[in-house]
Amino acid sequence: VRNSGPINSGKRLTDGYDFFANHRHKSKAGEIELEASWTQVRTFEQENFPGAGLINYLGYYWPSGSALGNYGFPEWKGSLNASWRKGRYSAGLGYNYVDGYKEQGNANKPIPSYATTDVRLGYMLPWLEAQLLVGVNNVSDKQVPFISTSFENQYDRAIGDIRGRVYFVELSKRF
């Protein structure tokens, strides 16, 4: 018996585009920053093992048993963010989007696109010089799409949070 070491999965072929934009504007009303981050995957093909032939993963959620199982591969994914800061005060608004795709292990059932909005308000505490943030992720309490073949909880953990709307308080200090 000869130990040949670990064997990697087969070939992977992928291509796409990543778009990033950032703009800051300072005025008497404060500093405004706009950010965009968007990805388009044009191809995502993978062999389950060397020599098996390429399988198109793009546009599908793949259940357990595939080389890249329990994960969805939407064509589009992105976020837009706007923030404002003046003196000790700050605020932000974010939009997150994941394109719809199909559930491979369930007769290619369509999984709808998923979008959420997040908000936050901040204040720099003068006696601590620490940033206090309060906010809400997924303001509209949008539920992640149901995926019957998902290994755990019947949703794709890569695109959303099963908890729905989440309130948070954060205190951070730089040293």
Side-chain angles (χ1 to χ4, degrees):
V1 175
R2 186 172 154 193
N3 183 355
S4 62
I7 298 174
N8 290 329
S9 63
K11 295 178 189 173
R12 179 178 292 172
L13 175 64
T14 185
D15 75 322
Y17 300 105
D18 291 320
F19 304 96
F20 300 100
N22 182 290
H23 177 73
R24 280 191 186 146
H25 177 75
K26 292 183 180 181
S27 72
K28 291 180 182 179
E31 180 178 288
I32 296 173
E33 184 171 12
L34 304 173
E35 298 175 303
S37 173
W38 222 259
T39 297
Q40 180 193 24
V41 179
R42 295 172 30 101
T43 306
F44 198 110
E45 297 176 352
Q46 168 82 35
E47 285 183 318
N48 282 347
F49 55 89
L54 292 169
I55 297 170
N56 179 23
Y57 276 73
L58 183 62
Y60 293 94
Y61 176 87
W62 287 81
S64 296
S66 58
L68 302 171
N70 293 311
Y71 195 80
F73 295 86
E75 180 181 359
W76 291 95
K77 192 174 185 180
S79 64
L80 303 171
N81 294 288
S83 61
W84 166 83
R85 179 179 307 276
K86 181 169 180 162
R88 295 190 170 277
Y89 298 93
S90 63
L93 177 67
Y95 173 78
N96 311 292
Y97 175 81
V98 178
D99 203 13
Y101 45 101
K102 296 177 183 174
E103 189 175 357
Q104 191 275 335
N106 188 13
N108 292 333
K109 179 191 115 204
I111 298 167
S113 61
Y114 179 72
T116 61
T117 303
D118 308 329
V119 296
R120 67 185 183 283
L121 296 171
Y123 179 70
M124 181 65 77
L125 301 171
W127 62 91
L128 285 175
E129 284 304 314
Q131 177 75 29
L132 175 65
L133 279 178
V134 296
V136 182
N137 291 335
N138 191 359
V139 172
S140 65
D141 198 23
K142 174 116 185 211
Q143 295 302 302
V144 291
F146 178 79
I147 300 175
S148 65
T149 59
S150 175
F151 174 71
E152 183 179 346
N153 298 326
Q154 277 62 60
Y155 78 104
D156 185 350
R157 291 177 285 168
I159 70 158
D161 190 330
I162 198 168
R163 297 177 295 177
R165 181 184 303 127
V166 175
Y167 299 90
F168 67 88
V169 176
E170 176 186 306
L171 182 65
S172 59
K173 180 168 176 63
R174 293 181 188 228
F175 294 94

